[in-house]
Amino acid sequence: MNRIRISIAPQLREVVGPAIDWVWRQALTTLGYAWQETAPGEPCDIAYVVDCERQPLAQVVIVASPERWHLPSRYRLRSLIPDKLFPMPCFDGESLHQMALERRENTLWSYRDLLFDLFWFLTGQEERTWPQDIHGFYTLPEAWLASQVLEQAPVSAMLEGLGALLQQAGAGESLPRWPDGKRAAAAITHDVDYPEVIRWLEPWRILRRQGLQGVWPAWEVLIGRRNHWAFPDWMKFEDRYGVRSAFYFVARQGSLLEYGRGLPDPFYDVTSPRFRALFRTLIEGGWEVGMHASYLAYASPERFAAEKRRLEEAAAAPILGNRHHYWHLNPADPEETLQLHAHLGFLYDTSLMHDRHLGWRRGTVTPFFPLAQKTGCEIGVVQLPVAWMDAQLMQRKELTQAQREAIIVALVDRTATLGGLFVANVHDYVFDEKLFPGWLAVLRAALDRIAERGDFWFATPAAIALHWRERYERLLKISAGLDEGR
């Protein structure tokens, strides 16, 4: 496999530090390229420079903006500008001429600092300034909603454009992104929040959701004819598609009293015989048992570790993956929580998602290794980005069912266009059409579209994360340079 020859201006590392190396590693490994770092002035395939007046011996030149790297959080997205190669962000106070690509003789110049843009999205710079509610959920600015930034996955789109430039420069063959020649990948996940229904309480919740149409389903729940224990139904449903999903279980047992006081952990006990038997059935059938870290797990490494040990003991198997209940990372410093995953030995996490807004929170449809910005070190736990959670569409009452299904199909197609990963999050208790009309149908629309396309690799999140880590390590092994901060 050919290696991309890359040169980085020394003063950039002095200004920015190891974040430069991190963002280049994420970009090149996603594209499937190994690299050879060269000294400034030597011939190379791609040069990352400060002085745009000098002509480096490179096929592609990207002009850096050191002033942006000094204080990246001050930039605010005004809009997302479509382009033949790059859907570039346009920040407040920025003019469109700054988006230009220019060919000088045999060299293609980008006067846009694409690496900064990738860094800015992947590290969530602007979201640090957004309002948060008591759960840490963000209110997105109008500019993000109007440009459908989350649904567009601008990081992945920019990387596709960068890959096209490298191909024009003669970069040669890259390492395939997914197995078996597939264009994209997909995984189904379930947060297990409410598997054991409270029979005296749930009828009132059904009536609140459905009104008079919910009278009969509410009665059936009250007398025990319907419940939320849908695991056998999920397994039969997924088996028809040849799918094996992941179920994320909360190891800390909450209570209705705690829930009323604002601590919304589920009420079930993973150590009970019923759940131990369920874990055996799931694992023996090829399904994945993962962890749904409790609402406040992030606040105590000891509590977090104890939850993981408790679930592993109950499941009699290692727990490789995690998602935080309510997406509840440290609201002030999400990366601090992501670092805990490495300390606890997780293979992957899948918690970077907005609660109310579907689409890819950090702008990428592919897995990545996050950056701990305070230390400049890469966090060695694969982050699997989530595309969609069920409630994000089903609680939008202005949408028809057909519109919801069209939106999810569009997300599937966007994933394929960008060669990414489609992760769906559908709660364990919404399988029953009588109790949750239309919820399962949206997932079915996504699965039908994936099956129709035929170019997706379907696997459990753990299998996908393992593939991504092994692919990443393979590329690192045959590369030279860009290794500071790892």
Side-chain angles (χ1 to χ4, degrees):
M1 179 184 299
N2 294 332
R3 294 192 291 183
I4 298 291
R5 296 171 301 165
I6 182 170
S7 171
I8 297 178
Q11 58 266 50
L12 283 172
R13 283 208 174 94
E14 295 172 7
V15 170
V16 180
I20 288 275
D21 297 309
W22 169 79
V23 73
W24 272 111
R25 284 197 305 271
Q26 300 310 308
L28 292 173
T29 54
T30 297
L31 292 171
Y33 289 112
W35 57 86
Q36 170 70 57
E37 196 169 354
T38 66
E42 294 183 3
C44 61
D45 299 301
I46 187 164
Y48 190 40
V49 304
V50 175
D51 187 353
C52 64
E53 297 303 322
R54 297 184 180 181
Q55 177 78 28
L57 299 175
Q59 299 293 315
V60 177
V61 178
I62 298 176
V63 180
S65 302
E67 70 282 357
R68 297 192 179 200
W69 291 90
H70 275 298
L71 192 61
S73 61
R74 70 183 175 185
Y75 290 91
R76 302 289 178 269
L77 186 74
R78 190 176 77 195
S79 61
L80 202 60
I81 306 300
D83 188 86
K84 291 180 180 179
L85 280 178
F86 304 102
M88 297 178 184
C90 183
F91 297 119
D92 284 345
E94 191 170 58
S95 58
L96 298 185
H97 78 272
Q98 294 170 278
M99 311 290 171
L101 293 171
E102 178 188 22
R103 182 167 292 280
R104 293 190 199 170
E105 298 178 354
N106 295 322
T107 300
L108 185 63
W109 286 70
S110 168
Y111 298 102
R112 177 82 193 186
D113 190 343
L114 301 174
L115 274 297
F116 174 81
D117 293 341
L118 295 173
F119 168 85
W120 188 85
F121 277 113
L122 282 172
T123 54
Q125 292 297 323
E126 186 176 345
E127 71 180 37
R128 301 166 193 275
T129 67
W130 297 342
Q132 293 175 282
D133 68 9
I134 60 171
H135 299 300
F137 300 155
Y138 291 104
T139 299
L140 268 67
E142 181 58 35
W144 285 68
L145 299 175
S147 292
Q148 294 187 306
V149 173
L150 302 182
E151 295 96 315
Q152 292 301 309
V155 166
S156 294
M158 285 188 283
L159 284 177
E160 290 299 294
L162 180 60
L165 295 183
L166 292 174
Q167 283 294 309
Q168 292 177 26
E173 182 182 359
S174 61
L175 188 66
R177 195 168 293 175
W178 305 112
D180 305 323
K182 299 296 186 181
R183 176 162 184 79
I188 305 303
T189 65
H190 307 284
D191 293 348
V192 182
D193 288 352
Y194 193 18
E196 296 177 317
V197 69
I198 301 175
R199 284 170 55 180
W200 62 266
L201 174 63
E202 191 58 24
W204 298 107
R205 287 161 50 92
I206 296 170
L207 292 172
R208 188 175 64 182
R209 287 197 306 269
Q210 299 188 34
L212 292 177
Q213 292 182 341
V215 170
W216 183 248
W219 172 252
E220 290 185 300
V221 168
L222 183 63
I223 64 176
R225 188 176 296 169
R226 291 186 183 275
N227 58 59
H228 285 178
W229 191 265
F231 300 104
D233 298 317
W234 279 117
M235 294 172 73
K236 291 177 184 176
F237 172 77
E238 292 171 3
D239 199 42
R240 289 197 292 270
Y241 287 94
V243 173
R244 294 295 182 267
S245 65
F247 291 87
Y248 298 120
F249 293 87
V250 180
R252 181 189 182 275
Q253 185 177 9
S255 69
L256 195 57
L257 180 60
E258 286 185 345
Y259 196 94
R261 292 176 174 175
L263 186 58
D265 287 333
F267 312 146
Y268 59 90
D269 180 5
V270 295
T271 67
S272 69
R274 188 184 197 190
F275 279 90
R276 290 178 185 270
L278 171 64
F279 296 148
R280 287 195 300 271
T281 300
L282 290 172
I283 292 171
E284 289 171 1
W287 278 263
E288 180 186 342
V289 173
M291 182 171 174
H292 204 28
S294 70
Y295 186 74
L296 291 178
Y298 76 87
S300 169
E302 295 76 20
R303 179 191 306 160
F304 202 163
E307 289 181 21
K308 184 170 184 282
R309 288 194 300 270
R310 190 168 192 253
L311 183 57
E312 287 179 328
E313 189 278 328
I319 299 299
L320 302 178
N322 174 71
R323 176 182 294 139
H324 286 263
H325 188 41
Y326 274 63
W327 315 99
H328 203 214
L329 310 171
N330 181 345
D333 188 357
E335 278 72 23
E336 180 183 79
T337 305
L338 301 185
Q339 283 182 290
L340 285 178
H341 304 151
H343 298 320
L344 295 180
F346 285 108
L347 168 65
Y348 76 90
D349 175 71
T350 179
S351 300
L352 280 177
M353 175 64 165
H354 290 300
D355 182 72
R356 301 187 184 99
H357 307 281
L358 81 170
W360 297 277
R361 175 172 169 178
R362 292 291 173 89
T364 177
V365 300
T366 53
F368 68 103
F369 292 90
L371 177 71
Q373 293 187 66
K374 289 182 179 179
T375 63
C377 293
E378 182 176 296
I379 299 171
V381 177
V382 182
Q383 184 64 217
L384 301 183
V386 181
W388 159 68
M389 178 180 69
D390 47 16
Q392 291 164 344
L393 286 177
M394 298 312 300
Q395 291 180 353
R396 291 178 59 184
K397 302 304 182 184
E398 79 277 11
L399 297 176
T400 66
Q401 185 66 19
Q403 288 173 325
R404 295 184 183 108
E405 294 176 17
I407 289 171
I408 205 66
V409 167
L411 278 182
V412 168
D413 288 340
R414 184 63 174 167
T415 302
T417 296
L418 298 174
L421 167 66
F422 179 84
V423 177
N425 178 24
V426 181
H427 288 83
D428 63 303
Y429 55 85
V430 304
F431 187 90
D432 191 325
E433 176 67 19
K434 296 294 184 183
L435 301 181
F436 293 89
W439 290 59
L440 182 63
V442 180
L443 176 61
R444 185 183 289 112
L447 292 173
D448 287 344
R449 179 57 174 161
I450 291 170
E452 177 189 356
R453 292 186 58 97
D455 55 358
F456 276 74
W457 174 51
F458 240 125
T460 63
I464 291 168
L466 182 61
H467 162 77
W468 198 261
R469 187 180 70 180
E470 290 177 345
R471 179 181 178 274
Y472 187 67
E473 295 293 343
R474 178 182 172 186
L475 288 167
L476 290 182
K477 188 175 181 179
I478 59 178
S479 297
L482 294 180
D483 57 357
E484 296 180 19
R486 285 199 76 236

